């Protein structure tokens, strides 16, 4: 840890500070004093779940209480708190993942990351999958769930800085269950807009509608490869998209 912090030290005058990630059970007051000295500004915790049975089943080595205690200490010492969760873990469920998101919100982090579980070849999780003891979420199920979780955080002013794993050739080649997607966040945002549009349409006036979105959200509202537009038109809804930059990131207006 000190080797890494000392390597960064000569460059600190060019940046606001250092962001680090660690385990919840690796945080104590002694560590925080040291990190403050080296101008660490943000500490992210790999919490993964707030359900102890899920943490035990996945041998995380920490508890939900450890996450709560570490989060409180981090904020008490003036660091920005980040929390990372994994959806679809072994022994987890949609309900447990939504519970984890709700528990994260209570801790009021500055930011979160959401990583759907991907089954990699030659791992213990792969063995459980091949034995039929673990059924991973499908890509569609993960998208549906994570789009809901993203909106829970967004509605509580918590910044979602990452959704889905960074692309790598190795990750793509070793995805055993086929539930990895390189543009996972975009799929989730497409789903957010699709659901918002459907829920906002007046059943008596489905034929011709105009959906207004912020210009920065236009491609997400239309959908990857125009998927939302195609699905809406297949449902008999003749929709056109226009921009209105007075609207917020995931806000829509329908005429």
């Amino acid at each position: 840890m000190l080797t890494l912090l000392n390597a960064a030290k000569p460059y600190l005058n060019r940046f606001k500070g250092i962001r680090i990630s660690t385990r919840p059970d690796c945080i104590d007051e002694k560590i925080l004093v040291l990190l403050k000295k080296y101008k660490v500004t943000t500490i992210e915790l790999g919490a993964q779940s707030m359900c102890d049975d899920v943490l035990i089943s996945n041998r995380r080595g920490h508890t939900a209480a450890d996450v709560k205690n570490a989060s409180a200490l981090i904020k008490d010492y003036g660091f920005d708190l980040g929390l990372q969760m994994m959806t679809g873990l072994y022994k987890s469920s949609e309900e447990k993942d939504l519970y984890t998101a709700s528990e994260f919100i209570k801790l009021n982090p500055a930011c979160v990351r959401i990583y759907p579980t991907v089954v990699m070849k030659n791992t213990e999780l792969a063995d459980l999958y091949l034995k039929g003891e673990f059924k991973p979420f499908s890509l569609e199920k993960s998208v549906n769930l994570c789009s809901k979780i993203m909106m829970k955080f967004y509605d509580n002013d918590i910044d979602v800085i990452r959704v889905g794993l960074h692309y790598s050739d190795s990750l793509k080649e070793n995805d055993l269950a086929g539930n990895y997607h390189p543009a996972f966040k975009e799929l989730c945002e497409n789903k957010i807009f699709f659901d918002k549009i459907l829920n906002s349409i007046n059943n008596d006036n489905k034929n011709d509608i105009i959906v207004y979105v912020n210009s920065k959200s236009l491609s997400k509202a239309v959908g990857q490869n125009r998927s939302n537009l195609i699905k809406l038109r297949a449902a008999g809804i003749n929709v056109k998209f226009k921009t209105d930059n007075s609207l917020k990131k995931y806000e829509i207006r329908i005429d």
Side-chain angles (χ1 to χ4, degrees):
M1 179 179 67
L2 288 175
T3 300
L4 292 170
L5 290 171
N6 280 315
K9 199 171 183 179
Y11 306 96
L12 284 175
N13 62 332
R14 295 167 54 186
F15 302 97
K16 292 180 180 178
I18 299 172
R19 176 190 296 269
I20 67 166
S21 298
T22 188
R23 295 171 53 89
D25 51 328
C26 287
I27 291 293
D28 57 31
E29 295 194 51
K30 181 181 177 181
I31 289 290
L32 293 175
V33 169
L34 181 65
L35 295 178
K36 182 70 75 172
K37 177 183 174 183
Y38 280 89
K39 295 189 178 180
V40 170
T41 53
T42 301
I43 301 175
E44 296 187 35
L45 298 177
Q48 317 312 359
S49 176
M50 293 299 282
C51 300
D52 282 336
D53 62 326
V54 175
L55 295 171
I56 291 169
S57 296
N58 289 274
R59 299 192 214 167
R60 286 297 303 163
H62 70 264
T63 65
D66 290 328
V67 178
K68 294 176 182 178
N69 294 336
S71 296
L73 272 176
I74 287 167
K75 297 182 77 174
D76 285 346
Y77 273 78
F79 296 95
D80 285 336
L81 171 66
L83 295 173
Q84 302 172 6
M85 68 178 289
M86 291 187 72
T87 60
L89 283 165
Y90 178 52
K91 297 293 185 180
S92 193
S93 64
E94 289 181 86
E95 293 75 21
K96 290 179 180 180
D97 291 341
L98 289 167
Y99 170 80
T100 290
S102 296
E103 290 297 292
F104 275 18
I105 290 167
K106 293 177 184 177
L107 299 174
N108 194 28
C111 60
V112 295
R113 299 177 194 255
I114 308 167
Y115 295 112
T117 298
V118 176
V119 183
M120 302 295 288
K121 295 176 183 176
N122 302 314
T123 62
E124 288 188 45
L125 195 61
D127 293 338
L128 291 170
Y129 168 66
L130 293 172
K131 292 176 185 176
E133 295 177 26
F134 171 59
K135 184 177 181 181
F137 290 176
S138 65
L139 178 61
E140 181 181 7
K141 186 173 181 177
S142 287
V143 167
N144 290 342
L145 173 62
C146 291
S147 66
K148 294 174 185 175
I149 291 173
M150 286 175 66
M151 284 308 300
K152 283 173 73 74
F153 290 135
Y154 179 77
D155 289 341
N156 284 276
D157 297 318
I158 296 170
D159 192 15
V160 180
I161 60 175
R162 182 77 197 176
V163 184
L165 294 165
H166 288 280
Y167 175 82
S168 72
D169 290 337
S170 175
L171 181 58
K172 185 68 176 175
E173 291 166 5
N174 288 286
D175 171 18
L176 182 63
N179 55 343
Y180 168 73
H181 195 284
F184 185 79
K185 183 178 182 180
E186 184 179 352
L187 295 181
C188 293
E189 291 180 315
N190 294 169
K191 178 64 174 172
I192 287 170
F193 279 104
F194 183 78
D195 289 344
K196 277 181 170 282
I197 292 166
L198 276 188
N199 292 334
S200 300
I201 293 174
N202 186 325
N203 288 329
D204 297 326
N205 188 21
K206 282 187 174 181
N207 294 331
D208 295 290
I209 64 168
I210 299 174
V211 178
Y212 290 89
V213 298
N214 189 288
S215 59
K216 293 181 179 179
S217 299
L218 181 59
S219 63
K220 298 161 188 172
V222 174
Q224 190 180 61
N225 298 320
R226 298 166 61 86
S227 58
N228 283 352
L229 186 66
I230 292 168
K231 285 189 291 185
L232 289 165
R233 288 182 174 174
I237 304 168
N238 186 26
V239 60
K240 292 181 180 179
F241 289 92
K242 293 187 178 181
T243 60
D244 178 354
N245 286 340
S246 69
L247 297 170
K248 296 179 182 178
K249 186 175 182 179
Y250 295 124
E251 190 177 6
I252 66 170
R253 189 181 82 249
I254 291 182
D255 288 341

